[in-house]
Amino acid sequence: ELAQKLQEMEEGSVLLYLTMFEDGDKNTYTIQSAAQFLAASSNVPIFRMSIGGMGTGVMGGLMISYEESGRKAGELVRARMDGQNAADMPLVLDTPLHGVFDKDVLDAYHIPTWKLPVGSEILNQKLTFYELHRELCMVSSGVLFFLGILILVLWKSAARRKRIMNEDYLTG
C-alpha cells in the first residue's frame, strides 16, 4: 500500500523521510532497508534530517550534526566540571546542522550543486584531475611559466646576438 502511494506522488513533490521501522503489514525495517525501499518505490527526491540511509537513494538534506552537538555538550560538561555554576551557563537552543547530499541522486533529479547550501558535504562526487592533483598542477604550472619566461629571454638574447653579429660583419 505504501509503495503504491509513493509511486502516485506528483512530479515536483518531495518525500521527507523522518523515520520508518514498521509498515502497515507489520514488516520491520532498518534505517538502511527503509531508505532503500523508499528510494525504489518513489519517483521523487527523498530528503532526510539524519545521516542514516545515505548512499541508498536518499538525496540528503540539512542534517543534525551529531559531532558538533557532542562537541558543544562536551564544552558544557567541561565548564561545569571546572566549577562553573549551571545557572550561569548558556541555554543551547540551536541544533547544529550541516548539508549532506548524494551527487548521484542530485544528478538523477537534475539538481546542480550550486543550489545547495554553502559548505554542504557532497557524497559520491567525482573529483576532477585538478582536485585530485592540485599540488602537482600548481608546481607544473609554475615550472611551465618559468620555462616560458626562460625561452622568451633566450629568444630575445639570440635575436640580439644575431643582430650584433650582422652589424660587426657588415662594418668589419
Side-chain angles (χ1 to χ4, degrees):
E1 180 181 337
L2 177 59
Q4 178 66 32
K5 288 187 184 274
L6 291 170
Q7 290 172 354
E8 293 171 358
M9 291 182 74
E10 296 179 17
E11 186 177 330
S13 299
V14 296
L15 177 63
L16 179 59
Y17 167 32
L18 298 174
T19 186
M20 179 178 132
F21 295 107
E22 186 177 289
D23 65 13
D25 295 329
K26 303 293 183 200
N27 297 315
T28 58
Y29 296 90
T30 64
I31 292 172
Q32 293 296 101
S33 65
Q36 288 171 334
F37 169 78
L38 294 172
S41 301
S42 69
N43 56 356
V44 298
I46 302 170
F47 286 87
R48 183 110 168 96
M49 295 177 61
S50 179
I51 197 73
M54 291 300 297
T56 60
V58 173
M59 181 180 303
L62 285 179
M63 301 189 179
I64 297 169
S65 173
Y66 296 111
E67 183 177 314
E68 182 64 18
S69 296
R71 189 186 64 72
K72 285 184 176 184
E75 288 173 359
L76 292 172
V77 169
R78 175 166 301 273
R80 183 69 181 112
M81 291 176 69
D82 288 344
Q84 185 174 351
N85 187 347
D88 297 334
M89 297 173 76
L91 182 60
V92 178
L93 299 174
D94 295 335
T95 302
L97 302 173
H98 71 285
V100 180
F101 296 88
D102 188 321
K103 179 75 165 112
D104 294 336
V105 181
L106 291 169
D107 290 345
Y109 290 101
H110 311 291
I111 298 172
T113 55
W114 63 265
K115 287 190 171 184
L116 302 177
V118 174
S120 292
E121 179 182 350
I122 302 174
L123 306 177
N124 299 319
Q125 184 171 19
K126 283 88 178 157
L127 298 177
T128 65
F129 179 85
Y130 178 74
E131 291 168 329
L132 288 170
H133 306 287
R134 184 181 320 255
E135 290 176 8
L136 176 64
C137 290
M138 298 294 272
V139 169
S140 298
S141 296
V143 167
L144 288 174
F145 179 76
F146 174 75
L147 290 175
I149 295 295
L150 183 62
I151 289 169
L152 184 63
V153 167
L154 290 173
W155 179 71
K156 285 195 173 239
S157 176
R160 194 175 101 221
R161 184 174 290 131
K162 184 176 180 181
R163 192 184 58 207
I164 290 171
M165 295 271 294
N166 284 341
E167 287 175 5
D168 283 348
Y169 178 75
L170 294 173
T171 60

